[in-house]
Amino acid sequence: VAEQTVAVGTALSKLNLPESLSGTDLEKNPLPDIPVRWKAKDATYDPSKPQDYIFIAEPGSGYVLAPAAALPRERVPYGPGLLPENYVRVTVKAGELKTKVEKGQVLPQKIAALFIEGTLNEQDMKYIRGTLTNLKTLDLEKTALITIPNAAFSSMTSLENLVLPASVKTIGEQALKDCTHLTAVNLAGVNVVGDSAFEGCASLGAVNLSQVQTLGEKAFTGCSNLTLA
């Protein structure tokens, strides 16, 4: 795998890391390609935080490494100056998002990454869900949100990465239901996850539920790739 430099907001699934590796058995006979998954060494991969990551391959289910065997490690420099195509940064007050976005140079339907600073209300959430149909990265880290409302981003099938502020404590019912391409969301400070909040998020990987006190029914039903940190 060639060394790669990737843009802020790039989901793990979009990195140049193969889904399988070739190998041999103990008698040196070639094996069919072995499925692998990749984990970042020393730090959980966070598409919102620039740093260099080392990824280590792990064999898929049913495969065991021989004592002297090793799987590859790949270095991925992750640069703060690199941004996805069609990204937009805005500073807003509640209710201003539509006006600010539509004054920009990128058509709303073509925005792939949106970085928001300031305050938002439910009107702004509805605008994101209903208009930004090709959004892949939504970075809310510099907002003052405490709650992600019910159904706020449900059925945003293009969304891959959601970055929440540390202030968010509650994920509402069906907030991200059926976001089928969502791979990453930071939940480390969240206390409440509502009913069906992530139901149908089949691509969602590792999440941290260490602070969750209330977990709603069907919160992660259909999350077939989910692992818990």
Side-chain angles (χ1 to χ4, degrees), residues 35-211:
V36 294
R37 60 181 183 179
W38 297 84
K39 286 193 173 180
K41 181 178 180 290
D42 300 327
T44 301
Y45 180 65
D46 185 341
S48 71
K49 294 181 179 178
Q51 69 179 71
D52 285 6
Y53 288 93
I54 301 294
F55 286 94
I56 303 173
E58 294 184 347
S61 176
Y63 291 90
V64 179
L65 289 180
L71 287 173
R73 296 185 177 203
E74 299 296 340
R75 178 173 175 268
V76 180
Y78 192 60
L82 299 166
L83 289 167
E85 183 181 4
N86 292 338
Y87 76 92
V88 171
R89 291 185 183 273
V90 291
T91 301
V92 298
K93 294 180 181 178
E96 292 183 343
L97 185 64
K98 180 178 187 292
T99 301
K100 288 287 186 77
V101 166
E102 295 184 359
K103 282 183 177 179
Q105 296 181 345
V106 182
L107 291 174
Q109 294 81 4
K110 292 188 176 182
I111 295 174
L114 180 62
F115 300 78
I116 303 174
E117 181 173 356
T119 56
L120 298 171
N121 61 18
E122 291 199 34
Q123 177 184 336
D124 298 317
M125 304 280 190
K126 288 179 180 178
Y127 177 75
I128 292 171
R129 184 177 69 248
T131 305
L132 307 185
T133 52
N134 284 310
L135 194 64
K136 295 181 179 180
T137 294
L138 178 58
D139 190 325
L140 305 174
E141 185 176 15
K142 294 186 177 180
T143 66
L145 287 170
I146 298 174
T147 299
I148 303 300
N150 295 347
F153 306 121
S154 62
S155 300
M156 291 187 66
T157 54
S158 65
L159 188 65
E160 297 174 358
N161 178 39
L162 174 63
V163 183
L164 300 175
S167 56
V168 167
K169 301 301 178 187
T170 300
I171 308 294
E173 296 179 8
Q174 302 184 25
L176 289 118
K177 183 181 178 182
D178 294 329
C179 291
T180 52
H181 287 86
L182 182 70
T183 61
V185 60
N186 54 317
L187 301 178
V190 170
N191 301 139
V192 178
V193 178
D195 293 350
S196 300
F198 295 94
E199 183 178 353
C201 294
S203 301
L204 187 62
V207 295
N208 186 336
L209 301 181
S210 60
Q211 301 302 310

